[in-house]
């Protein structure tokens, strides 16, 4: 798609949400109350300026005319995608977000790194009330190892020791962690408000995995996602 990606200020393929650089964490974040956009417009987080096929073409023209050295400040586009030569392609509608990359191998491992005190390079930032102590981590490890042979075959692969092997987790492993194991394993080691916050993400994941999703369920997904984002930012 020739986009700058989520590490750029304009990382969303669907809207013009502008990120903020954190000099402490050395990373770009997208807050609930974002700053003004490239055109000086103040953002309403409930009504963000959306991208369209026409706006993509305009953004590409801007980049081609002004040069790529302004990518981080201009529109989040770094060139003309060869896919635009296909008449059937519609930016951004032709490029949906899949659940594997959006939930299983994105939010889930990031949240685990928060709980495991590994999210920030700055150790002081990891010293929070949602961190799990080393002793508690060892207890969770023992519980996983002791119960590997007790899991029903219908659960799929037996649980893998997430503390030792989470870097090698595949989508199925993250799915099992989210839906099956995380809540019972973490509920004795995290404050209630963090358990409730994480439970919202679990509920959203379960709804997104349904073979068919009704309009009512879609609205519920949106509502719970918003609540989860509010919890996370706080």
């Amino acid at each position: 798609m020739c986009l700058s990606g989520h590490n750029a200020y304009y990382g969303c393929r669907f809207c013009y949400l502008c990120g903020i650089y954190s000099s402490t964490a050395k990373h770009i974040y997208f807050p609930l109350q974002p700053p003004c956009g490239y055109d000086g417009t103040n953002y309403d987080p409930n009504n963000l300026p959306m991208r369209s096929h026409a706006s993509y073409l305009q953004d590409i023209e801007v980049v081609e005319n002004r040069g790529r050295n302004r990518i981080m400040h201009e529109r989040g586009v770094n060139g003309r995608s060869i896919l635009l030569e296909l008449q059937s392609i519609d930016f951004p509608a032709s490029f949906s977000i899949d659940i594997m990359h959006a939930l299983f191998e994105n939010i889930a491992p990031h949240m685990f790194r928060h709980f495991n005190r590994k999210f920030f390079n700055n150790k002081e930032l990891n010293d929070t009330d949602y961190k799990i102590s080393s002793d508690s981590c060892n207890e969770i490890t023992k519980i996983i190892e002791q119960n590997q042979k007790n899991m029903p075959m219908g659960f799929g692969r037996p649980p893998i020791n997430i503390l030792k092997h989470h870097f090698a987790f595949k989508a199925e492993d993250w799915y099992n962690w989210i839906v099956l194991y995380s809540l019972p394993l973490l509920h004795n080691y995290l404050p209630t408000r963090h358990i409730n916050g994480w439970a919202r993400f679990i509920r959203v994941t379960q709804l997104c995995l349904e073979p068919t999703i009704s309009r009512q369920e879609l609205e519920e997904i949106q509502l719970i996602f918003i609540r989860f984002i509010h919890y996370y930012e706080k």
Side-chain angles (χ1 to χ4, degrees), residues 94-113:
S94 297
F95 306 93
S96 59
I97 298 175
D98 65 276
I99 191 171
M100 182 183 76
H101 290 98
L103 304 185
F104 297 161
E105 297 189 357
N106 188 344
I107 296 177
H110 284 322
M111 290 299 295
F112 178 75
R113 288 169 60 207

Side-chain angles (χ1 to χ4, degrees), residues 115-150:
F115 299 147
N116 198 30
R117 301 156 294 147
K118 303 291 185 182
F119 186 82
F120 295 106
N121 293 327
N122 186 330
K123 292 184 179 180
E124 293 182 2
L125 296 177
N126 291 314
D127 188 16
T128 65
D129 66 333
Y130 54 75
K131 69 178 182 180
I132 299 176
S133 67
S134 298
D135 290 340
S136 297
C137 287
N138 291 332
E139 291 179 13
I140 292 174
T141 299
K142 291 180 182 179
I143 294 173
I144 294 174
E145 292 176 346
Q146 292 171 355
N147 287 276
Q148 282 181 329
K149 296 182 180 180
N150 299 330

Side-chain angles (χ1 to χ4, degrees), residues 3 6 13 35 69 98 100 103 137 203 205 219 224:
L3 302 182
H6 62 275
R13 73 184 72 166
N69 61 333
D98 65 276
M100 182 183 76
L103 304 185
C137 287
R203 176 57 179 162
T205 301
E219 293 174 354
I224 299 176

Side-chain angles (χ1 to χ4, degrees), residues 10-231:
Y10 292 94
C12 181
R13 73 184 72 166
F14 298 105
C15 74
Y16 287 104
L17 175 65
C18 181
I20 296 177
Y21 181 74
S22 168
S23 58
T24 304
K26 301 186 184 305
H27 195 76
I28 294 173
Y29 292 93
F30 300 89
L32 287 175
Q33 186 60 55
C36 63
Y38 64 85
D39 58 355
T41 303
N42 290 322
Y43 283 153
D44 175 1
N46 296 314
N47 187 26
L48 292 169
M50 305 304 295
R51 294 182 184 267
S52 66
H53 190 81
S55 72
Y56 264 105
L57 296 177
Q58 293 173 356
D59 293 340
I60 292 169
E61 183 178 355
V62 169
V63 171
E64 291 177 339
N65 291 337
R66 299 188 184 181
R68 295 192 176 191
N69 61 333
R70 303 191 58 155
I71 293 173
M72 294 296 284
H73 303 285
E74 292 281 3
R75 320 293 176 90
V77 175
N78 59 24
R80 182 178 294 273
S81 172
I82 193 174
L83 297 173
L84 286 168
E85 297 180 12
L86 301 174
Q87 297 297 319
S88 60
I89 292 294
D90 180 49
F91 278 65
S94 297
F95 306 93
S96 59
I97 298 175
D98 65 276
I99 191 171
M100 182 183 76
H101 290 98
L103 304 185
F104 297 161
E105 297 189 357
N106 188 344
I107 296 177
H110 284 322
M111 290 299 295
F112 178 75
R113 288 169 60 207
H114 275 301
F115 299 147
N116 198 30
R117 301 156 294 147
K118 303 291 185 182
F119 186 82
F120 295 106
N121 293 327
N122 186 330
K123 292 184 179 180
E124 293 182 2
L125 296 177
N126 291 314
D127 188 16
T128 65
D129 66 333
Y130 54 75
K131 69 178 182 180
I132 299 176
S133 67
S134 298
D135 290 340
S136 297
C137 287
N138 291 332
E139 291 179 13
I140 292 174
T141 299
K142 291 180 182 179
I143 294 173
I144 294 174
E145 292 176 346
Q146 292 171 355
N147 287 276
Q148 282 181 329
K149 296 182 180 180
N150 299 330
M151 296 301 168
M153 294 294 292
F155 280 16
R157 292 174 56 176
I160 300 173
N161 189 324
I162 189 171
L163 296 168
K164 294 181 179 179
H165 306 297
H166 62 276
F167 287 112
F169 265 32
K170 304 298 183 184
E172 181 183 0
D173 300 313
W174 283 117
Y175 159 77
N176 288 337
W177 165 254
I178 298 167
V179 176
L180 300 176
Y181 306 127
S182 64
L183 209 55
L185 284 172
L186 297 176
H187 83 280
N188 286 330
Y189 304 101
L190 288 175
T192 301
R193 73 185 186 94
H194 295 301
I195 285 294
N196 291 339
W198 175 242
R200 291 171 184 152
F201 179 74
I202 296 174
R203 176 57 179 162
V204 163
T205 301
Q206 292 172 324
L207 288 171
C208 289
L209 288 168
E210 291 294 326
T212 58
I213 301 176
S214 67
R215 173 61 60 180
Q216 182 178 356
E217 289 172 330
L218 189 61
E219 293 174 354
E220 183 180 358
I221 289 171
Q222 181 180 17
L223 178 62
I224 299 176
F225 252 133
I226 291 173
R227 289 175 176 171
F228 172 73
I229 293 170
H230 276 278
Y231 151 73

